[in-house]
Amino acid sequence: MKKVALIAGLAALGAVPTIAQSPINFNARGLVVVSDADMAASALVDGKLFRDNTAKDLLTTIKFPVERGSKGLGSALVSNSALASGKTLAVPATGTLAYVLDSRLRPEDGVSEYKDASAEFPAGEKLFVVDITNLAAPKAKFGFPVGRKPNAIDVNKNELILTTNDVGKELVFIEAGPDGKPARFLNLPAAIDTTNKIIDITWHPSGDFIAFTLDNSNEVGLYKVIREAGKFKNVEMVGKPVKVGAEPSFGRFSPDGKHYFVLDTKTATPGKGAGDGEIHVVNFSMDGAIEHKVAAQVPAGTNSGSFAISPDGSILVTVNAGKSGAPWTEAGSGTGASLTLYKVATPTGALTKVADYPFEGIYPQSVAFDKDGSNIAVSVFEYLAYGTGNGGVEFWTVAKGDSPSLKKQGAMISVGKGAHTLRVIP
């Protein structure tokens, strides 16, 4: 009571002390971001790697609230690649482990250019496990082979599902022990045409279904999870995959699991898109009684990397690279990155665009909401800056309600060059 009376008295005198706020606000325990140091973003366009042979791939952990300096930030050497999908990193809700796919290997030191970086980078095959219990000091524990060019990974509790380019072994299921080691490891045929490959995969919030994206046929489909005595046994196709746009890729379920949102980049080669992509809303028939259908679609930005949905399902944000990844000798290089904000209608899942939010930074690829949807974090591959260069994580505050908006926060966090995928530790 005395404290309240004192504040009231100070208010009457116009002398209420101001409480300093951090220039970075993010309501979560932490963030995990992986950085691919093997190429510049512009290599996706012209094949010139412009790499520093002393720079290494990193996994960086960030503890909130952030402090000045490097306290609360940690990093570990973990091989990773920005050339796979937007799901090369998975972090269970417990926030004690991180799983990192290594889709492509580091080129030999003498290699400085490829005709087609996406196609010619040497193939990887491993999944790495990192202990992130201490966010100030993550520890790479071990890695093991999972299949050639693993594309995407997603996690449901301690169950991992990932995709590879091995014919007949396209799906890999792993039941992870507390230390991240595989307690069970299953290779499963995907029951798809061998000319196709699965480039994205997503657990349904229930853990009973898995959505996937097919590359060559440009379709999205659904598996039902078959369990025996509570243990994962197999998957079973539900209905027929549905055609979604021209180049469907990254997908996410709404928090209630009723809608599946899919990004159509409109380009077969990341970074080379010339026009706007789209976000499609897919309604799956969970029992296969009727056909899956695309219920709605809305334009997205150019070279969109991925998107995030707020925890309450009311808004969606895409992160768009635009032409920012163009070679630095071209006019307008390093510019064009943006976020696009949408309202999500209830109960249809239809999207209404609110606004674009341009910002500086090259080839942003990943975006995530904090645990209550009040803020978002965005990865930036690099900046238009000479020297050794760095990647970054930038932050926006979210205004909710009928007229949502984004406001850029005043500070960012510098991380390893090539930052491309981030995940939240709630």
Side-chain angles (χ1 to χ4, degrees):
M1 292 297 292
K2 290 182 179 179
K3 183 177 180 181
V4 172
L6 174 61
I7 292 174
L10 289 170
L13 296 172
V16 176
T18 59
I19 300 174
Q21 288 189 330
S22 168
I24 293 179
N25 293 298
F26 198 76
N27 299 323
R29 282 192 293 144
L31 272 175
V32 183
V33 57
V34 286
S35 302
D36 179 357
D38 296 334
M39 64 177 188
S42 56
L44 293 165
V45 179
D46 64 6
K48 297 178 181 179
L49 303 183
F50 287 110
R51 60 182 177 143
D52 176 357
N53 285 333
T54 64
K56 305 296 183 183
D57 290 1
L58 292 175
L59 176 143
T60 301
T61 46
I62 303 166
K63 181 182 179 181
F64 294 100
V66 293
E67 300 178 46
R68 285 195 66 177
S70 59
K71 186 178 179 180
L73 272 69
S75 63
L77 296 175
V78 182
S79 186
N80 65 88
S81 176
L83 292 172
S85 78
K87 293 188 185 144
T88 59
L89 169 66
V91 177
T94 55
T96 57
L97 296 170
Y99 299 93
V100 184
L101 287 182
D102 192 19
S103 180
R104 307 288 200 281
L105 300 180
R106 179 183 177 86
E108 296 292 332
D109 285 349
V111 176
S112 61
E113 185 174 353
Y114 288 117
K115 288 184 179 179
D116 183 342
S118 183
E120 296 178 56
F121 253 77
E125 64 170 10
K126 287 188 175 182
L127 174 66
F128 292 101
V129 180
V130 185
D131 184 343
I132 58 171
T133 305
N134 180 358
L135 292 175
K139 296 179 181 178
K141 299 181 68 176
F142 52 83
F144 53 91
V146 291
R148 183 176 178 273
K149 280 188 182 179
N151 292 314
I153 185 170
D154 201 14
V155 61
N156 169 58
K157 298 178 181 177
N158 69 324
E159 296 180 329
L160 300 166
I161 190 77
L162 59 96
T163 70
T164 80
N165 279 252
D166 285 344
V167 177
K169 298 179 180 180
E170 296 90 353
L171 294 175
V172 178
F173 169 79
I174 298 170
E175 181 183 324
D179 59 358
K181 291 182 178 179
R184 295 176 68 225
F185 185 107
L186 300 176
N187 281 116
L188 303 172
I192 58 174
D193 189 310
T194 55
T195 62
N196 262 316
K197 64 178 178 179
I198 299 176
I199 57 171
D200 190 76
I201 200 156
T202 313
W203 278 103
H204 186 270
S206 68
D208 296 328
F209 299 91
I210 295 168
F212 60 90
T213 301
L214 294 174
D215 186 21
N216 293 333
S217 63
N218 302 320
E219 294 174 313
V220 172
L222 185 71
Y223 293 120
K224 181 179 180 180
V225 175
I226 307 301
R227 299 182 187 274
E228 190 173 85
K231 295 288 188 178
F232 189 107
K233 181 182 180 182
N234 209 335
V235 294
E236 180 181 274
M237 189 84 74
V238 179
K240 295 180 180 180
V242 60
K243 178 84 170 179
V244 177
E247 293 289 344
S249 56
F250 185 95
R252 282 288 187 213
F253 280 100
S254 57
D256 61 10
K258 293 181 179 179
H259 309 288
Y260 192 61
F261 300 93
V262 182
L263 174 62
D264 176 13
T265 62
K266 302 293 185 184
T267 177
T269 307
K272 287 189 176 182
D276 287 350
E278 290 182 322
I279 298 287
H280 294 251
V281 185
V282 177
N283 288 343
F284 285 123
S285 172
M286 310 308 278
D287 59 5
I290 58 175
E291 292 185 355
H292 309 313
K293 68 175 183 178
V294 177
Q297 61 196 67
V298 64
T302 300
N303 291 316
S304 296
S306 63
F307 58 84
I309 306 166
S310 62
D312 65 0
S314 67
I315 56 179
L316 181 149
V317 176
T318 64
V319 57
N320 318 302
K323 300 294 183 65
S324 64
W328 290 16
T329 53
E330 293 186 9
S333 61
T335 63
S338 69
L339 301 175
T340 305
L341 174 65
Y342 303 86
K343 290 176 64 175
V344 183
T346 304
T348 64
L351 300 174
T352 302
K353 180 178 175 179
V354 177
D356 293 315
Y357 295 86
F359 66 98
E360 294 182 2
I362 293 174
Y363 203 59
Q365 285 293 285
S366 190
V367 56
F369 282 87
D370 61 9
K371 64 182 180 181
D372 64 1
S374 297
N375 307 279
I376 59 171
V378 178
S379 68
V380 176
F381 200 93
E382 59 185 327
Y383 294 88
L384 196 63
Y386 289 83
T388 55
N390 286 305
V393 180
E394 305 212 6
F395 299 87
W396 278 256
T397 300
V398 180
K400 305 174 186 178
D402 293 336
S403 301
S405 63
L406 304 177
K407 182 179 180 180
K408 196 169 186 304
Q409 296 184 18
M412 51 83 71
I413 297 174
S414 182
V415 297
K417 180 180 178 180
H420 60 93
T421 305
L422 54 80
R423 294 289 179 263
V424 174
I425 305 171

